[in-house]
Amino acid sequence: KANQLGVVVRDANVFDKLRSVDTVFFDKTGTLTDTDLTLSSRPVEIPEIHKRIILGLEQDSVHPIAFAFRKAFSASDVSLQFENRREVFGRRVFGYLYGRLYELRTSPEATNSISCSLFEEGVLLFTFLFETKIKDDCLEVLEDLKARGLKLILLSGDKKESVNHLTDS
């Protein structure tokens, strides 16, 4: 039956061991929440040049924020080519354009959301907020597991405040 449900079992003893499980660990992103982020808050008007700068910085990134920017800013916006572009995954992406340093970095001051800011030569230009959605059946499954007496632990690389916001849901 497990195989029919897409569960791979390499050792038949796993079912006997499951009876003694008292704690379940969950990864937040992709397990309890969707992996897609949505740009939820941005400055009222972002000049096209800054959209192009952001798209240029994020052009090769596989970080969820990069995908959210590409989704939010028109695909017709042509990104710019940066010199010495580098990404420190999950922290910042930066590069030089016409001799000026541009950088997108995560914003530590944000509490219940994921955010990043665009800087030019160290000067803050814009801050963007992103949101993630809890999967539809997530809360029902968690409540069922708690009702069975299991201890639930959430694992995440996100900021503590953002994770606490989810656990309060």
Side-chain angles (χ1 to χ4, degrees):
K1 183 159 182 142
N3 190 33
Q4 291 171 345
L5 294 172
V7 177
V8 177
V9 178
R10 294 193 302 172
D11 181 356
N13 294 331
V14 73
F15 296 109
D16 290 329
K17 292 176 184 175
L18 278 175
R19 295 177 214 245
S20 63
V21 169
D22 61 357
T23 305
V24 179
F25 293 84
F26 289 94
D27 176 48
K28 184 178 82 64
T29 305
T31 303
L32 302 180
T33 63
D34 288 332
T35 54
D36 292 337
L37 295 177
T38 301
L39 183 57
S40 61
S41 174
R42 59 180 157 175
V44 176
E45 190 63 37
I46 301 171
E48 286 301 312
I49 186 65
H50 290 110
K51 289 179 183 179
R52 292 176 63 208
I53 287 169
I54 290 168
L55 292 174
L57 286 170
E58 296 284 33
Q59 68 185 352
D60 297 326
S61 179
V62 295
H63 193 279
I65 286 177
F67 287 104
F69 274 129
R70 289 192 286 265
K71 185 170 57 173
F73 298 155
S74 171
S76 64
D77 291 332
V78 178
S79 62
L80 302 169
Q81 297 299 315
F82 282 80
E83 294 178 29
N84 300 318
R85 185 199 157 280
R86 294 196 181 107
E87 180 175 8
V88 180
F89 194 79
R91 301 216 183 265
R92 66 187 190 128
V93 59
F94 60 96
Y96 290 88
L97 182 66
Y98 308 120
R100 300 189 64 80
L101 174 65
Y102 289 92
E103 178 180 20
L104 276 169
R105 62 177 113 132
T106 57
S107 305
E109 63 275 359
T111 55
N112 294 336
S113 61
I114 299 166
S115 69
C116 75
S117 299
L118 176 65
F119 293 85
E120 178 182 357
E121 292 291 320
V123 176
L124 174 66
L125 298 178
F126 304 104
T127 296
F128 303 90
L129 299 178
F130 302 85
E131 62 185 29
T132 186
K133 183 180 155 203
I134 296 173
K135 289 186 176 182
D136 293 335
D137 60 349
C138 170
L139 296 178
E140 181 181 326
V141 169
L142 295 176
E143 288 302 320
D144 182 54
L145 292 172
K146 283 191 332 191
R148 294 173 187 227
L150 294 170
K151 180 178 179 184
L152 308 179
I153 297 178
L154 179 62
L155 304 174
S156 177
D158 293 347
K159 290 179 237 149
K160 184 178 180 180
E161 294 84 358
S162 179
V163 173
N164 288 344
H165 178 71
L166 176 65
T167 60
D168 294 340
S169 298

